[in-house]
Amino acid sequence: MMANDPKRVVVTGAAGQIGYALVPMIARGVMLGPDQPVILHMLDIEPAKEALEGVKMELIDAAFPLLKGVIATTDVVEACTDVDIAVMVGGFPRTEGMERRDVMSNNVSIYKAQASALEKHASANCKVLVVANPANTNALILKEFAPSIPDKNITCLTRLDHNRALGQISEKLDVHVSDVKNVIIWGNHSSTQYPDVSHATVTTDSREMSVSKAVSNDQWLKTEFIATVQQRGAAIIRARKLSSALSAASSACDHIRDWVLGTPKGSWVSMGVYSDGSYGIPAGLIYSFPVTCEKGEWSIVQGLKIDEFSRTKMDATTNELIEEKSLAYSCFNE
């Protein structure tokens, strides 16, 4: 396929906060590169139909050179037809006082419908990124109901957490964020995730050293740092009275761009992917691992040493994912 054939990208929940931040980034080439034309498919629910039309009007008004077409629809089949990339931002949000099971049950029905539309109508090698929470388990639901989509093509977003971890380290060390690399987010995109810097490095005065040596405060790295990254989403809600949108949209672009175009040599990123049993994580979970990407394929970084502290943290987030999975599966036949 020639690079200048447009790629079709569907964004679900496109009239929402994250969607509104994300679609202009895609139209500007942030997700697929500055020479890759795109056709945007935007999906949202019936009550958001008018707002979605407004977003389409704005996309037209912005006159993006790379944007070769815009489809705004409430029909899941039309939205998924021939798409090369699917960014699933739409989901059922949990509101105060709501039982987790009710949220899960609603997400199962949403992701069941979207899974079958993608399976039947998307392009053969469609790459899927689930953003809506609970992201790991929503991705798993999608996988269950779209058995013909290859496992490796269904992922969830933990790049936001990864980028948050990079940001916290760069602030602490007063270095530029691009000088920090190889942090890891293990596990669930939830407050049990484990942001791990034991393999991370930082470049200062043109020499590379380990982050733990540069910070030289293990207490901070094992407590405050981890808690800050885990709770960052909640902190933004407290500050903005709205959940993080521009950072989520930007991270979604990073996730897809690295997946499609490859990760820089010598560095890895975090992606929620289908576990193959690496690092003792049970196969059959969507779990965040360190990955490298090449020629449109991700692979889990192997051979990293896992100490006892890390093992405990990795197991805690595994247990939460196992619990979420059984909750989701119990809603399948409702």
Side-chain angles (χ1 to χ4, degrees):
M1 180 167 169
M2 279 171 62
N4 51 12
D5 283 351
K7 295 261 191 212
R8 291 179 181 269
V9 182
V10 62
V11 175
T12 73
Q17 268 231 96
I18 295 174
Y20 188 71
L22 178 59
V23 292
M25 293 182 186
I26 298 171
R28 276 196 188 281
V30 176
M31 180 179 275
L32 292 172
D35 49 8
Q36 177 57 65
V38 291
I39 296 169
L40 263 172
H41 293 215
M42 301 190 299
L43 175 71
D44 217 311
I45 53 175
E46 204 56 46
K49 189 175 181 173
E50 210 175 340
L52 191 64
E53 280 303 320
V55 178
K56 180 177 175 174
M57 287 156 71
E58 284 203 80
L59 283 168
I60 291 166
D61 294 351
F64 293 111
L66 289 171
L67 188 60
K68 298 301 179 191
V70 186
I71 293 164
T73 183
T74 56
D75 173 33
V76 66
V77 171
E78 183 185 8
C80 292
T81 299
D82 296 332
V83 297
D84 302 291
I85 286 161
V87 186
M88 319 306 274
V89 180
F92 192 88
R94 186 177 181 180
T95 48
E96 241 178 320
M98 209 179 162
E99 287 299 321
R100 274 180 70 208
R101 189 186 163 79
D102 297 336
V103 182
M104 194 67 83
S105 172
N106 282 303
N107 277 307
V108 166
S109 53
I110 293 170
Y111 277 84
K112 203 170 171 173
Q114 294 181 351
S116 77
L118 281 170
E119 187 173 47
K120 293 192 185 86
H121 304 284
S123 83
N125 197 28
C126 179
K127 288 178 159 59
V128 182
L129 168 61
V130 177
V131 176
N133 285 323
N136 300 57
T137 301
N138 282 342
L140 198 59
I141 295 165
L142 190 114
K143 191 203 155 301
E144 286 300 319
F145 289 109
S148 74
I149 298 178
D151 297 347
K152 63 179 176 58
N153 284 19
I154 297 175
T155 64
C156 80
L157 186 70
T158 56
R159 183 61 174 270
L160 177 54
D161 309 298
H162 180 98
N163 288 349
R164 284 167 171 166
L166 291 174
Q168 289 304 306
I169 297 297
S170 83
E171 294 279 292
K172 181 77 171 172
L173 293 173
D174 197 18
V175 297
H176 191 265
V177 70
S178 58
D179 291 329
V180 185
K181 66 175 193 180
N182 296 355
V183 299
I184 301 168
I185 303 297
W186 298 100
N188 200 0
H189 173 62
S190 75
S191 58
T192 67
Q193 61 171 268
Y194 170 41
D196 174 11
V197 296
S198 52
H199 307 278
T201 60
V202 57
T203 305
T204 49
D205 308 325
S206 70
R207 65 192 189 100
E208 196 174 86
M209 69 193 302
S210 78
V211 161
S212 44
K213 192 173 168 189
V215 170
S216 71
N217 182 345
D218 274 2
Q219 184 55 26
W220 181 81
L221 286 172
K222 287 185 167 174
T223 53
E224 197 185 324
F225 163 72
I226 291 176
T228 301
V229 177
Q230 288 175 333
Q231 305 292 336
R232 187 69 161 184
I236 287 165
I237 291 175
R238 279 197 302 277
R240 289 189 74 225
K241 313 293 176 265
L242 291 164
S243 55
S244 44
L246 87 80
S247 53
S250 181
S251 306
C253 289
D254 291 345
H255 174 113
I256 298 283
R257 188 183 60 246
D258 286 344
W259 188 4
V260 172
L261 301 175
T263 46
K265 206 169 165 47
S267 73
W268 62 66
V269 294
S270 302
M271 284 171 69
V273 298
Y274 198 61
S275 171
D276 59 359
S278 292
Y279 297 104
I281 305 307
L285 292 176
I286 301 256
Y287 192 96
S288 181
F289 287 97
V291 301
T292 54
C293 305
E294 196 179 2
K295 298 192 173 80
E297 305 281 333
W298 54 265
S299 15
I300 295 172
V301 176
Q302 297 296 340
L304 298 173
K305 213 167 142 328
I306 306 295
D307 63 20
E308 206 177 327
F309 179 82
S310 294
R311 187 79 263 167
T312 309
K313 295 279 187 200
M314 288 161 72
D315 289 347
T317 191
T318 300
N319 292 338
E320 184 184 52
L321 282 167
I322 291 170
E323 188 205 338
E324 276 186 22
K325 179 178 179 173
S326 64
L327 188 63
Y329 279 46
S330 73
C331 301
F332 279 5
N333 301 317
E334 286 177 3

